[in-house]
Amino acid sequence: MATTATAVPPLRRPVVLADALPGARVRDAVLVLAGALLTALLAQVSFMIPPSPVPVTGQTLAVGLVGASLGFRRGTAAMLLYVVAGLFLPVYSDGASGWHVITGASGGYIIGFVVATGVVGWLAERGADRKALTAFCAFAAAQAIVFAFGLVGLKLVVGETWSWTIHNGFTIFLVGGVIKALIGAAVLPSAWRLARRFARD
């Protein structure tokens, strides 16, 4: 009696780094929570550069790492979780929490985190995080989005001139932004090389 062979579906190649991990729904839930926690942790790396009312933090680094590692859907969910958690828990920079942070000088930047994470995730799903140059550009694009939202919010809150707003909400953060983009350009392609090595073993 003839037997029919059962076709074994080919293994899917990971689209983003998170896909290299086994699992599905539980994995995704854990990764979304981890992305929010990483953002909360890097938010505590914070210092002020007077007279700017906006702190320099590690959050924009988290935006790039979370978006690139988790992809559009999971990355956006992680950042939304972070933003919502901050309304009730002390996870914003310097342990702040509450709606007043969103309506304050930093609020536009925080809203921009969600959009920027989604954009980085979308770019990563198309391979932008696998090479140093494109990873750098993806991180730079994410920070540009954060600053675009942040500057509008800052202008509305402080009521200063655009010259003051751009200097104190953007220019003084440029060096830190370049450093974060360089970190992303170094870390993400290296992580992909490790993932490929483990996949071959």
Side-chain angles (χ1 to χ4, degrees):
M1 184 176 178
T3 58
T4 302
T6 302
V8 178
L11 293 175
R12 290 182 59 191
R13 296 180 64 185
V15 177
V16 293
L17 285 167
D19 296 325
L21 299 174
R25 291 185 179 180
V26 173
R27 174 202 64 186
D28 289 349
V30 171
L31 288 173
V32 167
L33 178 60
L37 289 174
L38 175 65
T39 308
L41 178 64
L42 290 181
Q44 308 317 309
V45 181
S46 172
F47 60 92
M48 303 297 295
I49 303 179
S52 175
V54 180
V56 177
T57 74
Q59 288 164 298
T60 47
L61 177 59
V63 164
L65 293 176
V66 170
S69 299
L70 303 189
F72 174 79
R73 179 175 56 85
R74 290 169 298 204
T76 302
M79 204 55 59
L80 279 171
L81 177 60
Y82 167 73
V83 173
V84 172
L87 298 177
F88 309 97
L89 301 171
V91 298
Y92 295 148
S93 62
D94 292 325
S97 64
W99 186 252
H100 72 279
V101 179
I102 300 297
T103 58
S106 298
Y109 297 86
I110 295 173
I111 300 302
F113 293 163
V114 179
V115 179
T117 303
V119 170
V120 174
W122 186 86
L123 291 171
E125 290 172 354
R126 285 149 185 80
D129 62 329
R130 304 190 185 199
K131 295 182 180 180
L133 178 59
T134 51
F136 178 89
C137 291
F139 267 65
Q143 293 186 68
I145 292 169
V146 171
F147 283 123
F149 277 84
L151 288 173
V152 172
L154 182 61
K155 178 74 168 64
L156 292 173
V157 170
V158 300
E160 293 282 356
T161 64
W162 273 112
S163 176
W164 184 97
T165 302
I166 291 171
H167 176 72
N168 291 287
F170 172 67
T171 306
I172 62 176
F173 298 108
L174 273 178
V175 173
V178 172
I179 292 172
K180 292 169 189 175
L182 288 172
I183 291 172
V187 169
L188 292 168
S190 299
W192 270 110
R193 285 192 290 271
L194 284 174
R196 294 188 192 102
R197 184 178 302 172
F198 282 120
R200 287 195 298 267
D201 292 344

